[in-house]
Amino acid sequence: MRRSPVSEFARFLRTETVGGMILLAATAAAVILANSPARGLYQAVRDFHIWHLTVGDWAKDGLLAVFFFVAGLELKRELVVGELSRFKAAVLPVVAAAGGMVVPIGVTLAVGWGAPGMDQAWAISAATDIAFALGVLSLTASGLPSSARIFLLSLAVVDDLGAIIIIAVLFTAKFNLIAAAAAIVLIALYAYLQHKRIRSSWLYVPIALGTWFAVHESGVHATIAGVALGLLTRVKKDPYEREAPAIRLEHRLQPWSAGFAVPVFALFAAGVPVSPTALGEMLDDRVAVAVILGLLVGKLIGIFGATFAAVRFKLAVLPTDLGWRDMAAVSMLGGVGFTVSLLIADLSLDTDAAQRVKAAVLLASAVASLLAAAMLVRRSRAHRAS
């Protein structure tokens, strides 16, 4: 039986909510391990080499490719048959996501201009973490209309697309033409097999692994392989199919992405020192301070301001039953920049600077979560009372 858009959304929300809780636990474990007597063992495991990558790199380059593949599937589905397929419904989250990237980047650049590493670190505050954001929303906003969740999900999908573009453009340090050509051939083969309605995983799994390896060797960040394949997967089912390939793959892979791939990445990426000395060094680092302000101030102003402008100039309308105070609370939740922010910090900075900036991402995300939670609880009570 075909799932309705509502049941599809509910399934997605449940998976991401549970994933957000697991992600929070993995983050807490990483911080505890990195600041405990087990720190040496934790670092030894993270830095242990398997083939020519460390365990931490495998989590960053390998497991996150699964996360980005699922993001690609979700983006393709939203663009073709979901909320973003209808112009009027798509305008507001797209404009909000754009504001939620441009303004934080502007704030980060304004504060950190000229600081070492800022030439690439400006992108750290552009991302919103969907798992954490939906987790906080589900725990604190049960009284809000479902349109708040749909708006946040649509915004996060567009935000993911922006992060994908940033990673592809900024973090291609070298370029191997032969490997890139191999990746293009494999991606084209994947698209051809999708077009011909081939369903065999015996073909797709080797193609996916080969594409990941070729993209990695080309110099483009390996997670882009996941996005490319996700965007090329069919999202409309044929009459003889129970469900489209993209929906089937989402069902299979999303629990692994939200419940395993992203938490394991967080376990090795979020292990930063949080001693008074480390926190003092973080606050003395202009890049770290710029990232904090970008996430906490830039996201709120960017998402809320872009939304207000779009409605004010009649480009869009507010989601059903949502008021401006509700939108302010959801906009504050956009400041939870975790998974992709940590990834960009790792990619853009040397080890010591990355540690300080990742601590800044954790701090900003925690503060944004708490502020948004307080606002959402208050708005939920107001909706129940009305």
Side-chain angles (χ1 to χ4, degrees):
M1 185 175 71
R2 183 177 180 181
R3 290 176 171 82
S4 69
V6 174
S7 65
E8 278 295 333
F9 175 76
R11 177 198 58 76
F12 182 89
L13 184 61
R14 283 194 299 272
T15 303
E16 290 299 327
T17 298
V18 173
M21 299 303 101
I22 299 173
L23 179 58
L24 181 60
T27 303
V31 173
I32 291 170
L33 287 170
N35 293 275
S36 73
R39 178 175 63 252
L41 177 61
Y42 168 77
Q43 292 174 343
V45 173
R46 182 192 63 197
D47 299 335
F48 182 77
H49 275 76
I50 300 175
W51 194 28
H52 65 285
L53 296 176
T54 66
V55 171
D57 287 336
W58 277 111
K60 178 174 63 181
D61 294 350
L63 290 179
L64 279 193
V66 178
F67 165 76
F68 276 103
F69 178 69
V70 173
L73 293 173
E74 179 65 20
L75 177 59
K76 177 72 174 288
R77 185 166 68 83
E78 287 292 317
L79 288 171
V80 176
V81 297
E83 288 295 313
L84 301 180
S85 65
R86 295 176 293 137
F87 180 78
K88 288 187 177 181
V91 168
L92 194 63
V94 169
V95 171
M101 296 185 76
V102 172
V103 176
I105 287 172
V107 170
T108 303
L109 282 171
V111 175
W113 186 264
M118 185 50 69
D119 56 329
Q120 291 184 318
W122 55 263
I124 294 170
S125 59
T128 293
D129 191 280
I130 186 172
F132 258 142
L134 286 176
V136 173
L137 189 72
S138 66
L139 289 173
T140 59
S142 57
L144 257 65
S146 60
S147 55
R149 295 167 173 82
I150 295 172
F151 172 79
L152 179 62
L153 176 58
S154 301
L155 182 151
V157 167
V158 179
D159 187 276
D160 280 344
L161 176 60
I164 289 160
I165 294 170
I166 288 172
I167 291 170
V169 172
L170 278 187
F171 303 110
T172 304
K174 57 184 179 63
F175 192 72
N176 184 322
L177 189 60
I178 295 175
I184 291 171
V185 169
L186 288 168
I187 289 170
L189 177 60
Y190 182 94
Y192 175 78
L193 294 175
Q194 283 288 299
H195 177 70
K196 290 297 183 181
R197 277 35 181 187
I198 305 298
R199 295 167 60 95
S200 174
S201 59
W202 293 102
L203 287 173
Y204 286 118
V205 171
I207 289 172
L209 293 174
T211 303
W212 178 89
F213 178 76
V215 171
H216 183 273
E217 293 302 304
S218 73
V220 178
H221 197 266
T223 53
I224 301 303
V227 179
L229 297 181
L231 289 173
L232 290 171
T233 305
R234 285 194 300 117
V235 294
K236 290 185 177 179
K237 75 182 188 73
D238 289 329
Y240 59 85
E241 292 180 308
R242 183 178 178 182
E243 55 189 0
I247 304 301
R248 185 174 68 252
L249 285 169
E250 270 195 72
H251 292 164
R252 291 179 180 178
L253 294 178
Q254 197 170 343
W256 288 100
S257 170
F260 179 74
V262 175
V264 170
F265 164 75
L267 181 64
F268 292 112
V272 296
V274 291
S275 65
T277 300
L279 292 176
E281 291 176 351
M282 178 193 73
L283 295 175
D284 285 336
D285 187 323
R286 273 207 299 143
V287 175
V289 173
V291 167
I292 291 172
L293 293 175
L295 287 171
L296 288 179
V297 179
K299 281 287 186 181
L300 174 62
I301 294 174
I303 295 173
F304 186 84
T307 302
F308 182 83
V311 174
R312 175 70 178 79
F313 292 105
K314 302 188 185 304
L315 297 175
V317 295
L318 278 177
T320 306
D321 298 327
L322 283 189
W324 286 114
R325 292 182 182 180
D326 303 322
M327 193 57 66
V330 174
S331 300
M332 187 73 254
L333 198 50
V336 181
F338 189 80
T339 304
V340 179
S341 292
L342 292 178
L343 173 62
I344 296 176
D346 265 333
L347 295 174
S348 60
L349 298 165
D350 61 45
T351 303
D352 290 338
Q355 291 288 86
R356 294 191 294 271
V357 172
K358 287 196 290 185
V361 170
L362 294 179
L363 177 62
S365 297
V367 172
S369 296
L370 293 172
L371 291 175
M375 296 167 73
L376 289 166
V377 167
R378 186 171 182 178
R379 293 309 305 154
S380 288
R381 289 173 180 168
H383 277 276
R384 288 195 189 99
S386 63

Short mmCIF file of all heavy atoms in Angstrom, two decimals, residues 160-197:
data_model
loop_
_atom_site.label_atom_id
_atom_site.label_comp_id
_atom_site.label_asym_id
_atom_site.label_seq_id
_atom_site.Cartn_x
_atom_site.Cartn_y
_atom_site.Cartn_z
N ASP A 160 20.85 21.51 3.66
CA ASP A 160 21.77 20.42 3.30
C ASP A 160 22.34 20.62 1.89
O ASP A 160 23.53 20.38 1.65
CB ASP A 160 21.06 19.07 3.37
CG ASP A 160 20.96 18.54 4.78
OD1 ASP A 160 21.68 19.05 5.67
OD2 ASP A 160 20.15 17.62 5.02
N LEU A 161 21.48 21.05 0.97
CA LEU A 161 21.95 21.29 -0.40
C LEU A 161 23.02 22.38 -0.41
O LEU A 161 24.06 22.24 -1.09
CB LEU A 161 20.78 21.71 -1.29
CG LEU A 161 21.13 22.08 -2.74
CD1 LEU A 161 21.78 20.91 -3.46
CD2 LEU A 161 19.88 22.54 -3.49
N GLY A 162 22.80 23.45 0.34
CA GLY A 162 23.80 24.51 0.41
C GLY A 162 25.11 24.02 0.99
O GLY A 162 26.20 24.34 0.49
N ALA A 163 25.03 23.19 2.04
CA ALA A 163 26.25 22.64 2.65
C ALA A 163 26.99 21.74 1.67
O ALA A 163 28.23 21.74 1.61
CB ALA A 163 25.87 21.86 3.91
N ILE A 164 26.24 20.97 0.90
CA ILE A 164 26.85 20.08 -0.10
C ILE A 164 27.63 20.90 -1.12
O ILE A 164 28.77 20.55 -1.49
CB ILE A 164 25.74 19.26 -0.80
CG1 ILE A 164 25.17 18.21 0.17
CG2 ILE A 164 26.28 18.58 -2.06
CD1 ILE A 164 23.81 17.70 -0.24
N ILE A 165 27.05 21.99 -1.58
CA ILE A 165 27.72 22.84 -2.57
C ILE A 165 28.99 23.45 -1.98
O ILE A 165 30.04 23.49 -2.62
CB ILE A 165 26.76 23.94 -3.07
CG1 ILE A 165 25.60 23.31 -3.85
CG2 ILE A 165 27.51 24.96 -3.94
CD1 ILE A 165 24.49 24.28 -4.19
N ILE A 166 28.90 23.92 -0.73
CA ILE A 166 30.06 24.51 -0.07
C ILE A 166 31.20 23.50 0.05
O ILE A 166 32.35 23.80 -0.27
CB ILE A 166 29.67 25.04 1.33
CG1 ILE A 166 28.81 26.31 1.20
CG2 ILE A 166 30.91 25.34 2.17
CD1 ILE A 166 28.22 26.79 2.50
N ILE A 167 30.87 22.29 0.48
CA ILE A 167 31.90 21.26 0.64
C ILE A 167 32.54 20.92 -0.70
O ILE A 167 33.76 20.79 -0.81
CB ILE A 167 31.29 20.00 1.30
CG1 ILE A 167 30.93 20.29 2.75
CG2 ILE A 167 32.27 18.82 1.23
CD1 ILE A 167 30.10 19.21 3.41
N ALA A 168 31.71 20.80 -1.73
CA ALA A 168 32.24 20.46 -3.06
C ALA A 168 33.16 21.54 -3.60
O ALA A 168 34.19 21.25 -4.22
CB ALA A 168 31.08 20.21 -4.02
N VAL A 169 32.81 22.81 -3.37
CA VAL A 169 33.58 23.92 -3.92
C VAL A 169 34.84 24.22 -3.10
O VAL A 169 35.93 24.40 -3.64
CB VAL A 169 32.70 25.19 -4.03
CG1 VAL A 169 33.54 26.39 -4.41
CG2 VAL A 169 31.58 24.97 -5.04
N LEU A 170 34.68 24.25 -1.76
CA LEU A 170 35.78 24.70 -0.91
C LEU A 170 36.85 23.65 -0.66
O LEU A 170 38.02 23.98 -0.52
CB LEU A 170 35.24 25.15 0.45
CG LEU A 170 34.66 26.55 0.58
CD1 LEU A 170 34.36 26.85 2.03
CD2 LEU A 170 35.62 27.61 0.02
N PHE A 171 36.44 22.39 -0.61
CA PHE A 171 37.36 21.38 -0.09
C PHE A 171 37.80 20.38 -1.14
O PHE A 171 37.82 19.17 -0.92
CB PHE A 171 36.74 20.70 1.13
CG PHE A 171 36.39 21.68 2.20
CD1 PHE A 171 35.06 21.97 2.49
CD2 PHE A 171 37.37 22.37 2.88
CE1 PHE A 171 34.73 22.90 3.45
CE2 PHE A 171 37.06 23.30 3.85
CZ PHE A 171 35.73 23.57 4.12
N THR A 172 38.13 20.90 -2.30
CA THR A 172 38.77 20.11 -3.34
C THR A 172 40.21 20.60 -3.44
O THR A 172 40.54 21.47 -4.23
CB THR A 172 38.03 20.27 -4.69
OG1 THR A 172 36.66 19.90 -4.50
CG2 THR A 172 38.65 19.39 -5.75
N ALA A 173 41.06 20.03 -2.60
CA ALA A 173 42.45 20.50 -2.50
C ALA A 173 43.27 20.11 -3.71
O ALA A 173 44.14 20.84 -4.17
CB ALA A 173 43.09 19.95 -1.23
N LYS A 174 43.01 18.94 -4.24
CA LYS A 174 43.72 18.47 -5.42
C LYS A 174 42.69 17.89 -6.36
O LYS A 174 41.54 17.67 -5.97
CB LYS A 174 44.75 17.39 -5.05
CG LYS A 174 44.18 16.18 -4.34
CD LYS A 174 45.26 15.22 -3.91
CE LYS A 174 44.68 14.00 -3.16
NZ LYS A 174 43.79 13.17 -3.98
N PHE A 175 43.07 17.66 -7.60
CA PHE A 175 42.09 17.11 -8.53
C PHE A 175 42.77 16.09 -9.43
O PHE A 175 43.67 16.43 -10.21
CB PHE A 175 41.47 18.23 -9.38
CG PHE A 175 40.26 17.76 -10.15
CD1 PHE A 175 39.07 17.49 -9.49
CD2 PHE A 175 40.32 17.59 -11.52
CE1 PHE A 175 37.96 17.06 -10.18
CE2 PHE A 175 39.20 17.16 -12.22
CZ PHE A 175 38.02 16.90 -11.56
N ASN A 176 42.35 14.84 -9.29
CA ASN A 176 42.86 13.74 -10.09
C ASN A 176 41.88 13.51 -11.24
O ASN A 176 40.77 13.00 -11.03
CB ASN A 176 43.00 12.49 -9.21
CG ASN A 176 43.63 11.32 -9.97
OD1 ASN A 176 43.36 11.11 -11.15
ND2 ASN A 176 44.46 10.57 -9.28
N LEU A 177 42.27 13.89 -12.44
CA LEU A 177 41.37 13.84 -13.60
C LEU A 177 40.93 12.43 -13.92
O LEU A 177 39.77 12.19 -14.26
CB LEU A 177 42.06 14.47 -14.81
CG LEU A 177 41.18 14.70 -16.04
CD1 LEU A 177 40.02 15.62 -15.70
CD2 LEU A 177 42.02 15.29 -17.18
N ILE A 178 41.83 11.45 -13.80
CA ILE A 178 41.49 10.06 -14.12
C ILE A 178 40.45 9.53 -13.14
O ILE A 178 39.45 8.91 -13.53
CB ILE A 178 42.75 9.18 -14.11
CG1 ILE A 178 43.71 9.61 -15.23
CG2 ILE A 178 42.39 7.70 -14.26
CD1 ILE A 178 45.04 8.88 -15.22
N ALA A 179 40.68 9.78 -11.84
CA ALA A 179 39.71 9.34 -10.83
C ALA A 179 38.37 10.03 -11.02
O ALA A 179 37.30 9.41 -10.88
CB ALA A 179 40.26 9.61 -9.44
N ALA A 180 38.40 11.32 -11.35
CA ALA A 180 37.16 12.06 -11.58
C ALA A 180 36.40 11.48 -12.77
O ALA A 180 35.17 11.35 -12.75
CB ALA A 180 37.45 13.53 -11.81
N ALA A 181 37.13 11.13 -13.84
CA ALA A 181 36.50 10.53 -15.02
C ALA A 181 35.86 9.19 -14.67
O ALA A 181 34.75 8.88 -15.11
CB ALA A 181 37.54 10.35 -16.12
N ALA A 182 36.57 8.40 -13.84
CA ALA A 182 36.01 7.11 -13.40
C ALA A 182 34.74 7.32 -12.60
O ALA A 182 33.74 6.58 -12.76
CB ALA A 182 37.05 6.35 -12.57
N ALA A 183 34.74 8.34 -11.73
CA ALA A 183 33.55 8.64 -10.94
C ALA A 183 32.38 9.03 -11.83
O ALA A 183 31.24 8.58 -11.62
CB ALA A 183 33.86 9.76 -9.95
N ILE A 184 32.65 9.84 -12.85
CA ILE A 184 31.59 10.27 -13.77
C ILE A 184 31.01 9.07 -14.52
O ILE A 184 29.79 8.95 -14.69
CB ILE A 184 32.13 11.33 -14.75
CG1 ILE A 184 32.43 12.63 -13.99
CG2 ILE A 184 31.14 11.59 -15.87
CD1 ILE A 184 33.17 13.66 -14.82
N VAL A 185 31.87 8.16 -14.96
CA VAL A 185 31.41 6.96 -15.66
C VAL A 185 30.51 6.12 -14.75
O VAL A 185 29.44 5.65 -15.17
CB VAL A 185 32.61 6.14 -16.17
CG1 VAL A 185 32.15 4.77 -16.67
CG2 VAL A 185 33.34 6.89 -17.28
N LEU A 186 30.94 5.92 -13.52
CA LEU A 186 30.16 5.10 -12.59
C LEU A 186 28.84 5.77 -12.23
O LEU A 186 27.80 5.11 -12.14
CB LEU A 186 30.98 4.85 -11.32
CG LEU A 186 32.15 3.87 -11.48
CD1 LEU A 186 33.05 3.91 -10.26
CD2 LEU A 186 31.64 2.45 -11.72
N ILE A 187 28.85 7.09 -12.05
CA ILE A 187 27.62 7.82 -11.76
C ILE A 187 26.66 7.73 -12.95
O ILE A 187 25.44 7.54 -12.78
CB ILE A 187 27.94 9.28 -11.41
CG1 ILE A 187 28.62 9.35 -10.04
CG2 ILE A 187 26.67 10.14 -11.41
CD1 ILE A 187 29.19 10.71 -9.70
N ALA A 188 27.21 7.86 -14.16
CA ALA A 188 26.38 7.73 -15.36
C ALA A 188 25.80 6.33 -15.48
O ALA A 188 24.63 6.15 -15.88
CB ALA A 188 27.21 8.07 -16.60
N LEU A 189 26.59 5.31 -15.12
CA LEU A 189 26.10 3.94 -15.15
C LEU A 189 24.96 3.75 -14.15
O LEU A 189 23.96 3.08 -14.45
CB LEU A 189 27.25 2.98 -14.84
CG LEU A 189 26.90 1.48 -14.77
CD1 LEU A 189 26.31 1.00 -16.10
CD2 LEU A 189 28.14 0.66 -14.41
N TYR A 190 25.10 4.33 -12.97
CA TYR A 190 24.04 4.27 -11.96
C TYR A 190 22.76 4.89 -12.51
O TYR A 190 21.66 4.32 -12.38
CB TYR A 190 24.50 4.99 -10.70
CG TYR A 190 23.51 4.97 -9.56
CD1 TYR A 190 23.57 3.99 -8.58
CD2 TYR A 190 22.50 5.94 -9.46
CE1 TYR A 190 22.68 3.97 -7.52
CE2 TYR A 190 21.59 5.92 -8.41
CZ TYR A 190 21.69 4.94 -7.45
OH TYR A 190 20.78 4.92 -6.41
N ALA A 191 22.89 6.07 -13.13
CA ALA A 191 21.72 6.76 -13.70
C ALA A 191 21.08 5.91 -14.80
O ALA A 191 19.85 5.82 -14.91
CB ALA A 191 22.13 8.12 -14.23
N TYR A 192 21.91 5.28 -15.62
CA TYR A 192 21.41 4.44 -16.73
C TYR A 192 20.62 3.25 -16.18
O TYR A 192 19.54 2.92 -16.67
CB TYR A 192 22.57 3.97 -17.59
CG TYR A 192 22.18 3.01 -18.68
CD1 TYR A 192 21.59 3.47 -19.86
CD2 TYR A 192 22.39 1.63 -18.54
CE1 TYR A 192 21.21 2.60 -20.86
CE2 TYR A 192 22.03 0.75 -19.53
CZ TYR A 192 21.43 1.22 -20.70
OH TYR A 192 21.06 0.34 -21.69
N LEU A 193 21.16 2.60 -15.15
CA LEU A 193 20.49 1.45 -14.56
C LEU A 193 19.17 1.87 -13.90
O LEU A 193 18.18 1.12 -13.96
CB LEU A 193 21.40 0.78 -13.53
CG LEU A 193 22.67 0.11 -14.10
CD1 LEU A 193 23.55 -0.40 -12.96
CD2 LEU A 193 22.30 -1.02 -15.04
N GLN A 194 19.15 3.05 -13.30
CA GLN A 194 17.90 3.56 -12.75
C GLN A 194 16.88 3.79 -13.86
O GLN A 194 15.70 3.45 -13.72
CB GLN A 194 18.16 4.87 -12.01
CG GLN A 194 18.78 4.71 -10.63
CD GLN A 194 17.82 4.14 -9.62
OE1 GLN A 194 16.78 4.73 -9.32
NE2 GLN A 194 18.15 2.97 -9.08
N HIS A 195 17.34 4.36 -14.95
CA HIS A 195 16.45 4.63 -16.09
C HIS A 195 15.89 3.34 -16.66
O HIS A 195 14.72 3.29 -17.09
CB HIS A 195 17.22 5.41 -17.15
CG HIS A 195 16.42 5.69 -18.40
ND1 HIS A 195 15.37 6.58 -18.42
CD2 HIS A 195 16.51 5.16 -19.66
CE1 HIS A 195 14.85 6.61 -19.63
NE2 HIS A 195 15.51 5.76 -20.40
N LYS A 196 16.70 2.29 -16.69
CA LYS A 196 16.29 1.00 -17.23
C LYS A 196 15.54 0.13 -16.22
O LYS A 196 15.20 -1.02 -16.50
CB LYS A 196 17.51 0.23 -17.75
CG LYS A 196 18.13 0.84 -19.01
CD LYS A 196 17.14 0.78 -20.18
CE LYS A 196 17.75 1.29 -21.46
NZ LYS A 196 16.78 1.25 -22.58
N ARG A 197 15.29 0.69 -15.03
CA ARG A 197 14.52 0.01 -13.98
C ARG A 197 15.20 -1.24 -13.47
O ARG A 197 14.54 -2.19 -13.03
CB ARG A 197 13.13 -0.36 -14.48
CG ARG A 197 12.05 0.72 -14.43
CD ARG A 197 12.47 2.09 -14.69
NE ARG A 197 11.37 3.05 -14.60
CZ ARG A 197 11.48 4.31 -14.93
NH1 ARG A 197 12.63 4.79 -15.38
NH2 ARG A 197 10.46 5.12 -14.80
#
